[in-house]
Amino acid sequence: MQTTVRAAVAASLLALCGHALAATTTAQDVPRPLGTHRPSAATIAQWQDRRFGMFIHFGLYSALGGEWQGKRVDNGYSEQILANGNIDGAAYAATAASFNPVHFDAEAIARLAKAAGMKFIVITSKHHDGFNMFHTHVTPYNIVDATPFKRDVVKELAEACRKEGLAFGVYYSTIDWHHPGGNTYIEGNSNPITAGQEAFNVAQLKELLGNYGPIAEIWFDMGKPTAAQSKHFEETVHALQPQTMVSGRVWNHQGDFTVMGDNAEPKVRVEEPWQSPASMFPETWGYRSWQQRGDAQAKVRENISRLVRVVSAGGNYILNIGPKGDGSVVPFEADVLRGIGAWMKTNGEAVYGTRASPFGKLDFGHATMGRDTVYLFIDQPPADGVLHLPGVVGSPFGDMRVLGGAPGVAVKTARAGDGLDIQASGLLSGQAAKAFEPVIALSLARPLRVIPQDVRAPANGVVTLPGADAEKFLNYNGYGYEDPDTVYKLQWHAALDKGRYEVTVRYAASASPRTVALVVDGHAQALVLPAGQGEQSVTAHVERDVGRQPDAMQLELTPSEPFSKGAPLGVDVVGLSVRASAPGVEHPG
Ligand code: H79
């Protein structure tokens, strides 16, 4: 398995085609220390293919709309008004008696999601307030038993999604401010989960996974379970539905996909499946009656831009709506979704089923990688109409077209010093010039090869690779929301030909020795970093593998293999230097 990981990583910048690229960016090869029933590679790929979905925050708080007893509660998200407004628990629970969302129409919501171009829906089955939007049997504090509405919202939406061909998922907070002996609000919501709460959660998870048909994903959120509790939740889900994708906010690296912070996008490359959760306004997820909403068209554009950034970085984008207490969708939010849908109708091809951009930073916008097509999203058309694609080797592109435009417009391509220039002025004139975020599709006539972005050249026979300049790969979803991301891999590239080399690793030594893996062109070797004080160095002998990395030597440091998802590199690397081995020097391997 470790060999597969390394091969996949080594190949990650050699994008042969969409499928080859896709195969390098999924997590199925990442070792998982806990749990055996996990979604298959096919499930993970299908989950990634969806790319864009709907989040729904709906609960008792929706009826309050961010106000309690005529006063606005503005010190946090409106779905958490119970805590933010310091509301008496019994008084809050009593609002269930008048919670009657008669305008809740699951089918209309499913159709709206489809009109937006969304492929899945995730709804809050229970938020931190502890009120259940499904017919749980472990507490009467639920929408069927405690409200005049008496309808199971989760069940209705599950069925509507099935009917409309959408994947269905549930949000589930392990926090519960209602449960006797459960959690009370603490700043940041990183609550420990009590043993009683754990048992309660597990009983509810069995209901959600047992009674609502296929659950494509379960969006665990918040709390700070122990490693054993995270494992317990994950195993409960997968014992009933092995193909359910568990969110990383089950914590302790037990999730099947990584979740970015609320409204956050990753700053670095993420190799495992991931999702960026977005609310319409950063202030709230649940309905807020007094939200200043502004211009719907601006919000459409903002969300298309966010979606494009997320999918070009290889993630899924889940955009939230917060229906009103009567169950109706806020007209502004429906307008925004339909506006996004209009863009998706033309450009969805560049979103669904695609994987991360094969390029580094692009000066005109973003890119995604399709099966045999590269899609270019034009944020800002260059004045001369020339789109520069850095690092592209050769001329791999066949046909070009602007999505939604006339097919077969002839466009010149010219080779530039670094990469390829696409003369796209013909495509970017006329209708496309007026369109927001037009997309150019470049079909691949040959496999795409892209030289890594930051390749360092030798000076006086030595390539110097400072630790600070390494590309960093981070672990997310560790021990709780406030847990900092940890670096698990550093990567550099060096312009070196076939041959044998000495790699000297300089590091800040600590009181005990560390073993890490030095991975060169996909070949790993264990490297012992002796204990000591101050800066120390060790030297390893490596061989270039141009078959695996044709364009540059790839050097990586990871925890010693095999390592689990949560393992940090844990070494302060000052830098690497690489020089050709002295002639005649024999070394092992
Ligand atoms: O359900 C939504 C939130 O209620 C829930 N996650 C999303 C999907 C959540 N509960 N707690 N947290 C998230 C912790 C988040 C705290 C913060 Fe913040 C978000 C700190 C900074 C950003 C609150 C909002 C304080 C500032 C902004």
Side-chain angles (χ1 to χ4, degrees):
M1 177 171 271
Q2 285 307 308
T3 315
T4 329
V5 179
R6 286 200 303 274
V9 169
S12 66
L13 288 160
L14 179 64
L16 294 173
C17 68
H19 274 308
L21 189 69
T24 66
T25 53
T26 57
Q28 61 267 38
D29 297 327
V30 176
R32 294 181 183 280
L34 306 170
T36 45
H37 297 96
R38 290 284 185 174
S40 65
T43 297
I44 294 171
Q46 283 164 10
W47 182 92
Q48 291 183 304
D49 285 351
R50 293 185 194 117
R51 297 279 92 163
F52 182 35
M54 175 187 278
F55 218 165
I56 304 176
H57 276 64
F58 189 40
L60 287 186
Y61 46 80
S62 309
L64 301 180
E67 280 186 31
W68 183 249
Q69 293 174 344
K71 285 208 188 74
R72 293 176 178 181
V73 178
D74 62 2
N75 58 331
Y77 299 146
S78 289
E79 68 277 13
Q80 299 183 31
I81 190 170
L82 169 57
N84 298 331
N86 218 2
I87 297 171
D88 171 67
Y92 182 86
T95 67
S98 55
F99 185 57
N100 198 13
V102 290
H103 294 300
F104 179 79
D105 182 344
E107 293 215 359
I109 290 176
R111 285 195 298 271
L112 176 62
K114 279 177 81 170
M118 293 162 158
K119 298 288 190 191
F120 63 100
I121 300 183
V122 176
I123 188 169
T124 45
S125 63
K126 187 195 78 170
H127 208 272
H128 312 339
D129 65 354
F131 185 76
N132 297 281
M133 297 296 281
F134 66 108
H135 193 199
T136 178
H137 295 281
V138 297
T139 169
Y141 195 49
N142 69 71
I143 188 158
V144 176
D145 296 323
T147 77
F149 190 55
K150 298 193 188 310
R151 282 160 48 189
D152 184 332
V153 155
V154 172
K155 178 143 269 169
E156 290 183 12
L157 194 63
E159 281 164 6
C161 284
R162 236 183 326 277
K163 190 168 159 214
E164 294 293 331
L166 295 166
F168 176 70
V170 288
Y171 168 105
Y172 186 81
S173 172
T174 56
I175 293 174
D176 193 327
W177 298 327
H178 180 79
H179 186 77
N183 318 111
T184 50
Y185 173 73
I186 62 170
E187 182 74 32
N189 288 317
S190 279
N191 294 67
I193 308 298
T194 65
Q197 194 62 53
E198 178 184 349
F200 179 89
N201 288 343
V202 165
Q204 290 202 316
L205 292 174
K206 287 179 179 166
E207 294 179 323
L208 287 168
L209 275 298
N211 304 338
Y212 294 86
I215 300 292
E217 68 184 72
I218 179 159
W219 223 96
F220 282 100
D221 198 18
M222 302 311 297
K224 193 174 184 177
T226 64
Q229 288 175 327
S230 298
K231 183 184 171 195
H232 195 185
F233 298 147
E234 174 273 307
E235 287 186 341
T236 303
V237 170
H238 287 140
L240 285 160
Q241 294 202 33
Q243 300 308 317
T244 297
M245 294 284 284
V246 169
S247 91
R249 290 197 198 173
V250 75
W251 307 123
N252 294 295
H253 300 286
Q254 289 305 309
D256 298 302
F257 65 94
T258 280
V259 179
M260 295 299 134
D262 289 10
N263 286 303
E265 295 166 29
K267 293 182 195 70
V268 296
R269 266 172 46 205
V270 182
E271 292 178 306
E272 56 192 77
W274 61 275
Q275 193 182 72
S276 185
S279 53
M280 286 273 174
F281 300 93
E283 298 87 357
T284 191
W285 300 74
Y287 175 63
R288 175 174 285 193
S289 58
W290 39 280
Q291 180 69 50
Q292 292 297 313
R293 298 196 172 85
D295 175 31
Q297 200 50 38
K299 193 51 81 176
V300 169
R301 292 179 170 204
E302 176 192 315
N303 278 289
I304 292 169
S305 298
R306 291 171 88 182
L307 169 69
V308 166
R309 286 198 303 270
V310 168
V311 296
S312 74
N316 282 6
Y317 187 62
I318 182 168
L319 176 60
N320 182 69
I321 61 167
K324 295 183 190 178
D326 66 2
S328 65
V329 175
V330 176
F332 175 91
E333 299 190 346
D335 287 349
V336 170
L337 294 194
R338 282 189 282 263
I340 298 170
W343 182 88
M344 286 294 280
K345 210 166 173 193
T346 304
N347 300 297
E349 178 191 330
V351 174
Y352 307 125
T354 62
R355 294 297 183 268
S357 168
F359 310 110
K361 201 171 154 31
L362 296 172
D363 51 17
F364 57 83
H366 297 83
T368 55
M369 189 75 181
R371 185 179 284 262
D372 49 20
T373 307
V374 174
Y375 297 98
L376 305 177
F377 299 78
I378 317 297
D379 297 350
Q380 193 58 51
D384 58 2
V386 173
L387 305 174
H388 182 61
L389 299 178
V392 172
V393 180
S395 294
F397 301 118
D399 297 344
M400 297 180 210
R401 66 204 151 95
V402 62
L403 297 189
V409 184
V411 181
K412 273 192 307 190
T413 64
R415 198 190 278 256
D418 155 41
L420 200 66
D421 279 349
I422 308 291
Q423 176 52 258
S425 51
L427 286 179
L428 290 170
S429 59
Q431 273 306 99
K434 284 182 237 127
F436 179 71
E437 199 75 29
V439 178
I440 288 180
L442 298 177
S443 72
L444 283 171
R446 279 174 288 285
L448 177 63
R449 246 175 76 184
V450 182
I451 297 173
Q453 215 182 3
D454 186 14
V455 181
R456 299 289 163 106
N460 301 323
V462 182
V463 182
T464 304
L465 304 167
D469 296 352
E471 182 160 11
K472 294 177 184 59
F473 292 75
L474 300 186
N475 287 315
Y476 292 87
N477 303 135
Y479 309 107
Y481 194 83
E482 79 294 345
D483 191 42
D485 311 325
T486 54
V487 175
Y488 76 92
K489 184 165 80 177
L490 299 175
Q491 187 185 74
W492 301 262
H493 291 93
L496 294 167
D497 293 333
K498 198 172 182 318
R500 291 179 166 184
Y501 295 88
E502 284 178 19
V503 178
T504 300
V505 178
R506 285 175 294 123
Y507 63 100
S510 57
S512 46
R514 288 268 315 171
T515 305
V516 295
L518 171 66
V519 189
V520 174
D521 293 343
H523 302 274
Q525 60 176 283
L527 197 64
V528 178
L529 308 178
Q533 283 190 334
E535 190 179 309
Q536 303 286 338
S537 68
V538 292
T539 295
H541 298 279
V542 303
E543 184 150 3
R544 182 88 173 80
D545 186 343
V546 290
R548 275 194 173 175
Q549 291 291 330
D551 302 308
M553 179 192 270
Q554 179 178 271
L555 300 103
E556 296 173 322
L557 287 174
T558 72
S560 64
E561 301 194 23
F563 62 92
S564 72
K565 245 170 112 179
L569 177 61
V571 178
D572 183 1
V573 178
V574 179
L576 271 52
S577 42
V578 191
R579 54 172 61 77
S581 295
V585 173
E586 287 298 316
H587 49 73

